[in-house]
Amino acid sequence: MKQTLTLFVLMLFASMALIAQQSETKEDQKKETTEEAVDGPKLTLDKSTVDYGEIEHGSDPLRVVSFTNTGNAPLIISNAKGSCGCTVPTWPREPIAPGESAEIEIRYDTKRTGPINKTVRLTTNDATGQYTIRVTGRVKAKVQEEGLPEKEGIFKPGSGN
């Protein structure tokens, strides 16, 4: 019985040593992968969501997202596309040097009332390849102007016409 218990304890220690070695190996692999991911261009967005908040109908449609090339090679954004025609991005066409920053302009059609839930997809030459910027908010309904003169000849309820 004593031998069985001793054998069990030894096996337990051996398996714990193997697990510790495997986890160290996994951590080393993660470090190597992280170091490799930095080699080349790397797009780092200041924010991944553009929130218009609650805005008036027809108000300023322009919002700006800044980004930096945190890699060590020129970054190229080859395409930027809105999820519909109401969301239009404008992006720099020239390569962004390592350490440099630039901006992406996003215009939303603020004449469309209701909630905003759109995306802009960026295609780049970095290891990730594609990024998504969410566009959120709400456009209030158009306010009717008061004090407009009524048109003549139109039937008005309760006027006896």
Side-chain angles (χ1 to χ4, degrees), residues 119-158:
T119 59
V120 172
R121 184 167 303 253
L122 307 175
T123 304
T124 70
N125 67 330
D126 77 357
T128 302
Q130 289 196 342
Y131 294 85
T132 301
I133 300 171
R134 291 195 58 224
V135 181
T136 62
R138 184 176 165 278
V139 179
K140 295 179 187 177
K142 186 175 181 178
V143 178
Q144 293 292 337
E145 295 182 29
E146 294 182 25
L148 291 177
E150 295 182 27
K151 293 184 180 179
E152 292 184 27
I154 298 178
F155 174 74
K156 298 177 208 158

Side-chain angles (χ1 to χ4, degrees), residues 61-141:
L62 178 65
R63 298 296 185 268
V64 176
V65 176
S66 297
F67 66 92
T68 303
N69 178 1
T70 56
N72 59 8
L75 172 72
I76 298 170
I77 299 176
S78 58
N79 195 17
K81 183 172 173 100
S83 57
C84 75
C86 61
T87 309
V88 181
T90 304
W91 70 97
R93 305 288 202 246
E94 67 281 349
I96 309 301
E100 295 293 315
S101 295
E103 296 178 336
I104 298 168
E105 294 180 350
I106 298 173
R107 292 181 187 276
Y108 179 78
D109 182 3
T110 58
K111 292 183 178 154
R112 295 177 179 227
T113 59
I116 304 169
N117 189 15
K118 305 295 179 186
T119 59
V120 172
R121 184 167 303 253
L122 307 175
T123 304
T124 70
N125 67 330
D126 77 357
T128 302
Q130 289 196 342
Y131 294 85
T132 301
I133 300 171
R134 291 195 58 224
V135 181
T136 62
R138 184 176 165 278
V139 179
K140 295 179 187 177

Side-chain angles (χ1 to χ4, degrees), residues 28-99:
D28 291 340
Q29 288 173 350
K30 285 181 185 177
K31 286 179 186 176
E32 289 174 11
T33 304
T34 304
E35 290 171 6
E36 290 173 359
V38 174
D39 191 30
K42 176 70 176 145
L43 177 93
T44 303
L45 293 165
D46 283 352
K47 57 185 173 183
S48 60
T49 300
V50 173
D51 187 3
Y52 276 75
E54 191 167 3
I55 59 174
E56 298 295 325
H57 182 270
S59 63
D60 181 24
L62 178 65
R63 298 296 185 268
V64 176
V65 176
S66 297
F67 66 92
T68 303
N69 178 1
T70 56
N72 59 8
L75 172 72
I76 298 170
I77 299 176
S78 58
N79 195 17
K81 183 172 173 100
S83 57
C84 75
C86 61
T87 309
V88 181
T90 304
W91 70 97
R93 305 288 202 246
E94 67 281 349
I96 309 301

